[in-house]
Structures are given as structure tokens and as C-alpha cells.
């Protein structure tokens, strides 16, 4: 009986690991394809069909062309500003809101939570948001992609749940020593909730880094375009002409294909590098919202 169970467990493990390995392969191959295509020879890449498991030749011409494009560097500058300023404001506003909602003695606490959660399922729509941004003078500024989205309701709920898990005795002891609410929040609650703070940083950072939709609506000045909006133009509008000057029509098309892949790598790799630094907090921080209501 023991032998049969051991055999079943081994078969089960083989199946599970095989499925997981297949999922990893399916997930990683698109990124691998883009990375290999970006350093491949343009002529060989255009004529290639099927899977790409190694570079077709080797050329960094696409990356050289990408960084010659002033739009990429301007996009990096604007995106970094949106990332730093946006994540800072997001964390501050979310922490303040979560702290208030996590206190049991707040009047009409449940009513506030209901109203806030209601916005997750129903909102005014794009036109009211545009009119508000326009009327407060944020149109065609980088702040239009930051201030109207200072708090995510989903992230607020997760952080509120994490703050509620902090023992009340710590707060009571701090009050006896004369601590006010800001002291309790920034010196007790937040340091004890670092796993969820790390997850919030990752969530907000990915959102800000990948954001392009609202920027395309609120921003018309090309000097204020974030990186992803520039990337969208290159991939969808096929605007690689300013990066392939000096080449004939045929070569321009071929080089343009590798430039698209190189641009994707340039826009994707930085945010991928953030994950290893918060990975150890990720599972614990996300599960906080699932354990308590």
C-alpha cells in the first residue's frame, strides 16, 4: 500500500512539474522571442518563419537606432517623473485613507467603505473624468496622469486589511506615550506592514510605467509623452522613419522590424528589474487581503 502511494505521488509530481514547466515556457517564450529578435540581423529576421530559438546573426543596430530617437529619451524622462511622483502620491494617499478606514472608532466607517467600494463597479465614465481634468487646469500636463488616480480602491482595501492586522495594544501604548495619529501611522503601522507596502509599490509602479491610455487622452504635447505612448506610436503607427534615416525603402522596412523589438525591450526590462527586490514580500503582502475581511 505504501509503495502504491509512493508511486502515485511520484506520477502526480511528474505531471504537476510538467504542466508548470509548460506554463513557464509559454510565458517566457514571447519575451525570449522579442529579446532574440531585437539583436538579430534585420535581413534574416524578416525572411525567418517559425520559432526563434537563437539570434539570426548578431546586430545591435536596432538599439543604437532606438537611443538615437529623441522621443525615447523624452519618454523615459517623463515616465520616470510619473513613476516617482505618482507612486509617492499613491502610497501617501492610500496609506492615509487605509489608516482612517482601519480605525474602529471612525464615525460612519462602514458607510464610507461602501461608498468607496461602490466606485470599483460604477464610475462616471471617461467624459466626466476628461471634463474634470480640463476644468481644474491639468490638461496637457504630466500631473493629469497622476493626481486624478491618486488612490486605487482595490489597493486601498488591501492596505486597510493589513493595517487592521496590527495589534491594537501597540496603538494604545503609543497613545499613552503621547503619540498622535501621524506618529502611529508612520512609526508603527507602516513599519509593521512593509510586505503590503512593497506590494503596493510594485502594483502602482507597474501601473504608472505601463500607463498610456489616459496620457493619450489628456496629453497632446509630444514633449510630455510618456515612454509607453511613444512605444505605441512605434508599434501601431509604424513611426520608425526618424530612426532609419539614410537607408533605402527596403532596408528601412527591415531595420524598422528589429527596432520595434528593441523598443519593446527598452521599455520592458526596467520594470522587470524591480520585481526581484520585492518578490520576497509579494506573496505575503497579497495574501493579507485574502485572509481578513
Amino acid at each position: 500500500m505504501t509503495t502504491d502511494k509512493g508511486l502515485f505521488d511520484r506520477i502526480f509530481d511528474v505531471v504537476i512539474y510538467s504542466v508548470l514547466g509548460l506554463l513557464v515556457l509559454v510565458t517566457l517564450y514571447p519575451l525570449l522571442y522579442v529579446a532574440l529578435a531585437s539583436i538579430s540581423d534585420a535581413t534574416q529576421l524578416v525572411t525567418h518563419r517559425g520559432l526563434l530559438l537563437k539570434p539570426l546573426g548578431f546586430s545591435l543596430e536596432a538599439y543604437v537606432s532606438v537611443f538615437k530617437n529623441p522621443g525615447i529619451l523624452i519618454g523615459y524622462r517623463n515616465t520616470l517623473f510619473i513613476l516617482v511622483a505618482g507612486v509617492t502620491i499613491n502610497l501617501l494617499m492610500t496609506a492615509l485613507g487605509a489608516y482612517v478606514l482601519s480605525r474602529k472608532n471612525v464615525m460612519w466607517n462602514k458607510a464610507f467603505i461602501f461608498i468607496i467600494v461602490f466606485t470599483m463597479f460604477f464610475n462616471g465614465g471617461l467624459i466626466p473624468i476628461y471634463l474634470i481634468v480640463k476644468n481644474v487646469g491639468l490638461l496637457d500636463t504630466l500631473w493629469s496622469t497622476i493626481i486624478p488616480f491618486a488612490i486605487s480602491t482595490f489597493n486601498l482595501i488591501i492596505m486597510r486589511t493589513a493595517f487592521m492586522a496590527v495589534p491594537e495594544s501597540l496603538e494604545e501604548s503609543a497613545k499613552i506615550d503621547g503619540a498622535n495619529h501621524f506618529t502611529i501611522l508612520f512609526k508603527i503601522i507602516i513599519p509593521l506592514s512593509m510586505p503590503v507596502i512593497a506590494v503596493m509599490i510594485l502594483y502602482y509602479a507597474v501601473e504608472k510605467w505601463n500607463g498610456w491610455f489616459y496620457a493619450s487622452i489628456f496629453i497632446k504635447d509630444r514633449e510630455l509623452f510618456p515612454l509607453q505612448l511613444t512605444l505605441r506610436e512605434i508599434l501601431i503607427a509604424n513611426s520608425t522613419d526618424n530612426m532609419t534615416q539614410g537607408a533605402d525603402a527596403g532596408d528601412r522596412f527591415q531595420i524598422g522590424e528589429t527596432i520595434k523589438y528593441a523598443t519593446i525591450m527598452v521599455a520592458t526590462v526596467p520594470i522587470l528589474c524591480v520585481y526581484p527586490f520585492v518578490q520576497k514580500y509579494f506573496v505575503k503582502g497579497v495574501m493579507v487581503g485574502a485572509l481578513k475581511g
Side-chain angles (χ1 to χ4, degrees):
M1 188 69 178
T2 304
T3 304
D4 293 339
K5 184 177 180 180
L7 178 62
F8 175 79
D9 288 342
R10 287 194 292 272
I11 295 175
F12 181 78
D13 289 342
V14 169
V15 173
I16 291 297
Y17 284 119
S18 299
V19 172
L20 290 177
L22 181 62
L23 289 175
V24 170
L25 181 62
V26 171
T27 303
L28 290 182
Y29 180 73
L31 181 61
L32 178 64
Y33 182 95
V34 172
L36 294 176
S38 68
I39 59 175
S40 295
D41 178 71
T43 304
Q44 297 183 51
L45 180 65
V46 171
T47 58
H48 177 75
R49 295 293 181 271
L51 296 175
L52 185 64
L53 301 177
K54 64 178 182 178
L56 301 175
F58 180 78
S59 174
L60 296 178
E61 184 178 356
Y63 286 96
V64 173
S65 299
V66 166
F67 285 107
K68 283 183 178 179
N69 181 8
I72 296 294
L73 299 180
I74 291 173
Y76 258 114
R77 181 197 65 192
N78 295 332
T79 297
L80 287 175
F81 174 80
I82 294 172
L83 181 68
V84 174
V87 171
T88 301
I89 292 175
N90 287 147
L91 288 178
L92 178 61
M93 299 300 294
T94 305
L96 292 174
Y99 176 75
V100 172
L101 295 175
S102 65
R103 302 304 93 187
K104 295 182 180 179
N105 58 349
V106 174
M107 186 180 297
W108 301 330
N109 193 318
K110 292 184 179 180
F112 288 141
I113 294 174
F114 173 80
I115 294 172
I116 291 171
V117 172
F118 185 84
T119 64
M120 290 181 62
F121 306 100
F122 303 95
N123 60 66
L126 182 59
I127 294 177
I129 293 176
Y130 179 85
L131 293 176
I132 291 173
V133 171
K134 179 181 178 181
N135 291 334
V136 299
L138 294 178
L139 205 62
D140 218 18
T141 68
L142 292 178
W143 293 107
S144 64
T145 63
I146 298 174
I147 294 179
F149 313 100
I151 298 180
S152 164
T153 303
F154 178 76
N155 293 344
L156 176 64
I157 294 172
I158 293 179
M159 191 174 290
R160 168 184 173 267
T161 305
F163 287 178
M164 291 177 65
V166 177
E168 292 184 29
S169 57
L170 295 176
E171 180 181 350
E172 294 171 355
S173 300
K175 288 182 178 179
I176 293 174
D177 292 334
N180 57 30
H181 287 293
F182 286 101
T183 302
I184 293 172
L185 174 60
F186 290 105
K187 293 190 176 181
I188 297 177
I189 303 294
I190 289 181
L192 292 176
S193 305
M194 285 310 297
V196 77
I197 297 296
V199 172
M200 292 300 101
I201 291 174
L202 181 63
Y203 279 178
Y204 280 126
V206 171
E207 177 187 348
K208 297 301 180 187
W209 186 270
N210 291 331
W212 65 269
F213 178 71
Y214 287 107
S216 67
I217 296 173
F218 299 144
I219 299 176
K220 301 304 178 185
D221 184 357
R222 298 186 63 85
E223 292 295 316
L224 298 176
F225 276 13
L227 180 62
Q228 298 300 334
L229 197 52
T230 304
L231 174 62
R232 179 177 180 272
E233 281 194 341
I234 293 174
L235 296 180
I236 297 180
N238 200 29
S239 58
T240 59
D241 291 343
N242 61 338
M243 291 182 279
T244 57
Q245 294 178 356
D248 56 44
D251 292 340
R252 188 179 297 120
F253 171 76
Q254 295 172 355
I255 298 173
E257 290 300 303
T258 56
I259 286 176
K260 292 178 182 179
Y261 293 118
T263 306
I264 294 173
M265 292 302 299
V266 168
T268 304
V269 169
I271 198 64
L272 291 179
C273 295
V274 175
Y275 182 77
F277 296 99
V278 297
Q279 187 269 340
K280 63 180 180 180
Y281 301 110
F282 191 76
V283 175
K284 183 178 179 181
V286 172
M287 289 301 293
V288 167
L291 297 176
K292 293 182 180 290

